[in-house]
Amino acid sequence: MQGLFNFVADIGAALEWVLPMLCYIGGASFLLGGVYGIYERSAQAAGMVGRPFVPEFMIFVGATLLSFPQFLNMGNQTLGFDTSASLSGSNAPAAVSIDTLTSAITGGPVQVFSAILRMFRFYFMSYGALIVYFAIIRQVGRAKGTNNSSTGLNIIMLVGGFLVMNADVIGPKLLVEMNLGSS
């Protein structure tokens, strides 16, 4: 059991390393691409002239990616969650305690589910932030005309990423609302 938790913690730690790299490289690329698009528009080149506001949108997304933790914190607060995001990678791996699991088992299904989600919390946070990142990148691709995803799908992906980030809060409350246990 400890090996499974260590494996998931390692995946979460890898995502905590990959996501900042993607944000910094992508943010800088979008900023430079937006500035170049504005230059092309002023030089009457055939690049992004046919797509209004794409260079400005790329600059906006580049700035968002360069300040990604603040964007995630703002989204969490907007949706009513108190989780705070950081790209520092300072999360410690979850330790499995037999006493915690035993007390959770005697507490019922909601307590067991809460204990499991708390152990996988850092994985869910990292994976949810990655989903939010991909939703933003897909929307830029839609604006540029390079993919056929709909804006509605990208918004659902964005909100879903925030929900995955807060799975340890949503899961137990959902079980209580479905009358599958009591808190």
Side-chain angles (χ1 to χ4, degrees):
M1 190 74 156
Q2 181 68 39
L4 175 68
F5 291 123
N6 288 342
F7 176 68
V8 171
D10 289 343
I11 290 174
L15 287 175
E16 287 178 352
W17 180 81
V18 168
L19 187 61
M21 180 190 68
L22 289 174
C23 287
Y24 293 135
I25 292 172
S29 299
F30 283 135
L31 283 176
L32 292 173
V35 169
Y36 182 69
I38 290 173
Y39 168 75
E40 276 187 338
R41 185 183 298 153
S42 69
Q44 299 298 325
M48 292 190 203
V49 174
R51 300 203 175 267
F53 303 113
V54 172
E56 292 84 1
F57 183 63
M58 288 176 67
I59 290 172
F60 174 75
V61 169
T64 300
L65 291 179
L66 289 175
S67 61
F68 200 58
Q70 289 82 8
F71 175 76
L72 292 176
N73 291 335
M74 181 202 59
N76 276 330
Q77 290 173 357
T78 300
L79 293 174
F81 300 113
D82 59 355
T83 305
S84 69
S86 132
L87 293 183
S88 65
S90 62
N91 294 331
V96 179
S97 169
I98 300 298
D99 297 331
T100 305
L101 291 176
T102 305
S103 66
I105 289 172
T106 59
V110 174
Q111 298 299 325
V112 172
F113 192 60
S114 296
I116 291 171
L117 287 176
R118 251 182 270 118
M119 287 182 207
F120 290 112
R121 177 181 60 216
F122 298 123
Y123 171 75
F124 283 120
M125 284 182 192
S126 299
Y127 187 64
L130 191 65
I131 292 171
V132 170
Y133 172 80
F134 285 138
I136 293 170
I137 297 300
R138 285 174 57 103
Q139 186 60 30
V140 171
R142 174 169 169 61
K144 289 170 49 178
T146 58
N147 68 21
N148 292 330
S149 66
S150 68
T151 301
L153 174 67
N154 296 336
I155 290 172
I156 289 172
M157 225 172 128
L158 185 83
V159 171
F162 282 112
L163 295 178
V164 168
M165 282 179 66
N166 296 290
D168 58 333
V169 175
I170 295 172
K173 288 184 180 180
L174 186 62
L175 284 180
V176 171
E177 283 295 319
M178 294 172 53
N179 294 326
L180 295 175
S182 61
S183 58

